[in-house]
Every structure is written in structure tokens, then in C-alpha cells.
Amino acid sequence: MNTPFAPLSAVLADITPAHRIGRIAALGGGTVTVSGLSDVAALGDRLQIDGRMGGEVLGLTPDSLTVMCDDAPDGLAIGDEVLWKGPASLSPDTSWLGRVIDPLGQPIDGRPLYRGPEARPLRAPPPPPASRRGLGARLATGMAVFDTLLPVVCGQRIGLFAGSGVGKSTLLASFARGLSADVVVIALVGERGREVREFVENVLGTDGMTRAIVVAATSDQSPMMRQRCALAAMTVAEHFRDQGRHVLLLVDSITRFAEAHREVAVAAGEAASLRGYPPSTAHAIMSLAERAGPGAGSSGDITAVFSVLVAGSDMDEPVADILRGTIDGHVVMDRKIAERGRFPAIDLLRSVSRSLPHAATPQENAMIRRARQVLGAWDRAEMMVQAGLYAKGSDPQIDDAIRLTPALDMFLAEKSEGIGASFRRLEGCLI
Ligand SMILES: Nc1ncnc2c1ncn2[C@@H]1O[C@H](COP(=O)(O)OP(=O)(O)OP(=O)(O)O)[C@@H](O)[C@H]1O
Ligand SMILES: [Mg+2]
């Protein structure tokens, strides 16, 4: 289907010969009530309202639909025309590489964008559990800490937990530039408009963008669009995965996805619980995370990193808690470490990669254990040492920690020239 006519065929295939039309029956409470489409529409279907904005079906009764608009519903009136467009879908294409799109698959970088030949549902099931592969081989990341102490393997799903401004987005960008993958899909959920451009132009740069697709919904857009942003990025990632490629999916942030979901669910009539989050939040997060991971059969894998904003380092906060249960590793970033200028500000003792011990050799595992012991001993003794209460020689573990921690701390911020080279560097830091 990759002929010069493919984009035209995709557009032609999308034309519906006959339209089903409904009418706005009521407005208010953040939603629109539409009559006349209850016999065709299904939950999650797309609509076009008054020829000027999209909307999605949130609820159904025998006589009416509850619809949330993509934009503010200002100016809509009773009786306005509503077109039924069918299930929410996206048609990704290889030509999308290097591009910035919105959650509806429209270009937002000022150039035309072709639709791919096949429409994919926005809410797809994960690969069947029985035929799914296990986690794959270790990946080079370009960062010493992830090449050694917190290995990332193919198909792994990782959560990145940190307070605001501790360096989540910068670390995600380092993964986008340095992790070995065929395609990188980045969801920027609810960022400020200025940040999207800055991320694409300065942080990723031309080199980073050649293998990347950015899906962005800015903070001023409706909760519907912000929620769709993560789903759309996942759909694009699945398109490339099904072509047998290894995809890196970065979602910044799952917290803003959950907040958008909360707004949509509450508008649909769900009661808030769990610290303001409605009960369906857990399912929304888990079903998204479950779609990433190893593929089945001849398809590729989706390695995913989800950032989570944890206010005041509260790891029991609902979104963090839900995500932690579904992922294969978590990286905790600490404000104190960022404040003393060590980036990435990873708190190694509270971070875990569930790919260990399988992802490393016995010698490498021994080195990882030793590094953790040293950093653990320093963590326990730091206050005592700095207050001058520790007498050298009274505890060999603390003596080791005093001697080795400065080099290890520097190592955690280093770039990596490859997994083997980084382990040799780590070995040097532990002598
Ligand atoms: N690797 C790094 N090297 C130097 N400075 C860094 C690094 N990572 C983060 N910083 C500093 O921390 C600031 C915040 O980083 P970043 O925007 O990545 O944080 P964030 O956790 O994504 O913030 P937010 O919660 O606002 O999204 C940066 O502007 C920069 O000053
Ligand atoms: Mg950020």
C-alpha cells in the first residue's frame, strides 16, 4: 500500500457516503446532550458538533448522548447539528517520524501530514497474555546509572517518580536521545505551549527528532484532548510495534493523564473517591500501562517510561500507587540530590529495576550489590559523619562508604560509552 496514492486512498476511504445527524438537546455542566443518535452511537465514539469542533460520547441513554467537546463549548446552541463519525481511531504512518501531532492526528508543526492506510482504535487491548514474550535483552541508554545499577531491558515499563522541577522531563529527553530503539514516541500531556516547542527544538533537537514522533496536548486544551494524548501516543507506538520494530514510548506525565481522566469521568457522572480520583482511574492507568511491554509473535516490543508527579515525595499518592503495581521498575528522583546539583537526581536506594538479577551476569550483580551496600551505609552514616560523631575505624562498612561514595556519586551522573565500559568504570569506583 506504500504507493504515491496511499495518502489519497486513506483520505478517500475515510469519506462516509451518508451521514447520521443528531441535534443538541441541552447544554451545561461541561457536557452537551445530543438527541437522535442513540441507535448508532457507542461509548467513546467521535462526533462533529456544529461543523466546528469534535466531541466524544461519554454516556448513552435510549434517547440521548452525553458528549464532551474537544474545545470550550462557547457559542453552541440548542438545535445545532451533530454528525456521528464512528469509533475514535488514528491512522499512523511511517511518514510521521520527525513530526509533532495533536491527539487527533493533526499536524501542529505547520506542515501537511499524511494519514496511514489503516485506522487503529484508540482503545486497543494489550497483546494476549498467553502468547506475550518475557522481558528482552538489556538496552544501552547512554547513561551510566541505567547501563549498570538500574538496567533497562527491551519491553520493560518504568515509572519515573519525582516532585515538580526535579528533572523528570530532562531525564525522559535523555532516554529519547540515548536509548537504543527504532522509533521513539513521546506523549506530552498538558505541558505549557512554550514547553512543547522548547522540548522539540532544544531538548530533542534535529538529531533526536529524526526517529521520534511527538504527540502533544497543551494545558489549555480540554481534558478530553489531554486524556487522548496518552492514548494516541500508545496507538502510534502499537502501529510501529506491529511492524516488528522496537518502540520507546515516553509519557510525560501519567499524573496529568489521570487528572484529565478525572475531569472527564466526573463530567460523565462518576463520583470522585480515592483522594478526588474516581474509581475508574485505576483501570484507565493500568489498561494504558498494560498495552506497553513485550509484544507477541512477530511483532516488536514497546519499552515505556511513564513520569509521575509525586507532591512532596509522597509515594503513596493514588496515581503513584496505582502505577507502581503495574510496572517493572521504578526510578525515584530526589529534590535534595537535585539541589546539590547532581543530575539525573536519582535516589538509587529507593529505585528498583525488576529486570534484575536476570538482566546481569553474576559478577555484574555482585558489583551492583556492593554499590548499593556502599550507598546504603553512607545513607545511614551521613549525618553522624558530618556532625563529627563518627570515629574512623569503628565500622569497616562506614569506612568504605566514606572512601567510595564521592566517586560513586560522580559515576551516577556520568554518560555511558556502552554497558561493558560502564561496568568497568563502576568496578573502578568500588576499589
Ligand atoms: N540533567 C540535568 N542537568 C542540569 N540541570 C538539570 C538536569 N535535569 C534537570 N535540570 C534542572 O532542573 C530543572 C527542571 O527540570 P525538568 O523540567 O526536567 O523537571 P520536571 O520534573 O520535568 O519539572 P515539572 O514538574 O515542572 O514538569 C531544569 O530547568 C534544570 O534547571
Ligand atoms: Mg516536566
Side-chain angles (χ1 to χ4, degrees):
M1 197 61 185
N2 253 342
T3 67
F5 291 103
L8 179 62
S9 312
V11 174
L12 290 177
D14 205 42
I15 295 174
T16 336
H19 282 298
R20 275 298 304 261
I21 297 174
R23 299 272 168 199
I24 295 184
L27 287 149
T31 58
V32 176
T33 307
V34 175
S35 60
L37 293 175
S38 293
D39 56 329
V40 282
L43 220 53
D45 277 3
R46 296 289 301 164
L47 303 165
Q48 195 186 28
I49 303 161
D50 193 30
R52 57 196 171 110
M53 71 175 82
E56 203 162 306
V57 180
L58 289 187
L60 283 160
T61 70
D63 317 307
S64 67
L65 317 178
T66 307
V67 175
M68 184 172 250
C69 300
D70 294 341
D71 299 309
D74 299 343
L76 294 181
I78 305 253
D80 281 351
E81 195 176 271
V82 179
L83 283 187
W84 174 65
K85 306 286 280 182
S89 66
L90 206 61
S91 308
D93 190 61
T94 310
S95 65
W96 288 15
L97 287 170
R99 304 298 305 274
V100 188
I101 61 168
D102 76 2
L104 301 171
Q106 309 289 339
I108 48 176
D109 51 7
R111 287 182 287 139
L113 183 83
Y114 297 126
R115 241 178 295 173
E118 188 201 347
R120 302 184 66 99
L122 221 57
R123 292 180 176 81
S131 50
R132 238 176 157 171
R133 288 187 293 275
L135 292 176
R138 211 157 32 162
L139 300 168
T141 63
M143 287 175 276
V145 55
F146 291 104
D147 277 6
T148 55
L149 301 163
L150 291 173
V152 179
V153 298
C154 199
Q156 192 172 2
R157 287 160 298 177
I158 300 165
L160 204 66
F161 300 84
S164 66
V166 179
K168 296 181 296 297
S169 305
T170 314
L171 181 54
L172 283 180
S174 306
F175 278 124
R177 285 193 308 267
L179 195 124
S180 60
D182 301 322
V183 174
V184 183
V185 183
I186 304 158
L188 299 179
V189 186
E191 295 275 338
R192 286 149 281 217
R194 165 186 63 80
E195 281 178 330
V196 173
R197 180 152 184 201
E198 204 174 281
F199 189 87
V200 171
E201 289 181 1
N202 305 340
V203 182
L204 275 180
T206 326
D207 283 352
M209 274 306 282
T210 50
R211 60 170 191 165
I213 297 168
V214 175
V215 186
T218 48
S219 53
D220 57 306
Q221 287 182 294
S222 75
M224 201 84 221
M225 292 289 267
R226 281 177 275 137
Q227 185 194 24
R228 277 179 66 114
C229 181
L231 299 173
M234 184 62 79
T235 308
V236 174
E238 285 169 343
H239 166 80
F240 288 100
R241 177 201 63 195
D242 290 349
Q243 291 182 346
R245 307 221 227 164
H246 172 218
V247 185
L248 171 65
L249 173 73
L250 305 170
V251 180
D252 194 11
S253 69
I254 253 333
T255 307
R256 295 207 207 101
F257 167 75
E259 285 168 355
H261 173 83
R262 173 173 63 189
E263 283 184 57
V264 173
V266 169
E270 207 182 326
S273 65
L274 206 74
R275 293 212 219 164
Y277 287 98
S280 63
T281 310
H283 180 252
I285 294 176
M286 286 179 187
S287 58
L288 181 74
E290 198 51 35
R291 285 165 69 180
S298 61
S299 74
D301 304 297
I302 301 177
T303 304
V305 187
F306 303 100
S307 77
V308 185
L309 177 73
V310 284
S313 303
D314 174 11
M315 291 290 288
D316 296 328
E317 179 269 338
V319 177
D321 211 29
I322 295 166
L323 187 70
R324 214 159 18 155
T326 59
I327 50 181
D328 324 294
H330 55 268
V331 176
V332 179
M333 302 176 83
D334 189 277
R335 190 178 300 281
K336 281 203 211 82
I337 300 176
E339 278 167 0
R340 66 176 163 82
R342 200 251 282 147
F343 290 104
I346 295 167
D347 182 345
L348 190 78
L349 295 174
R350 292 165 67 208
S351 304
V352 175
S353 171
R354 293 194 196 164
S355 62
L356 285 175
H358 311 290
T361 64
Q363 291 92 325
E364 290 168 346
N365 273 311
M367 258 189 265
I368 294 169
R369 264 197 310 278
R370 170 110 170 98
R372 281 187 176 273
Q373 275 165 3
V374 169
L375 291 169
W378 175 250
D379 193 53
R380 288 193 302 279
E382 185 179 3
M383 293 255 272
M384 212 166 40
V385 173
Q386 282 174 347
L389 299 173
Y390 177 72
K392 217 172 172 187
S394 39
D395 182 333
Q397 274 200 347
I398 297 180
D399 288 340
D400 264 2
I402 294 171
R403 190 168 55 84
L404 302 175
T405 301
L408 264 181
D409 197 59
M410 269 170 63
F411 173 78
L412 294 177
E414 279 174 17
K415 290 201 163 66
S416 169
E417 300 295 330
I419 294 174
S422 282
F423 267 109
R424 284 192 293 281
R425 270 282 303 138
L426 178 61
E427 197 173 15
C429 292
L430 292 170
I431 296 169

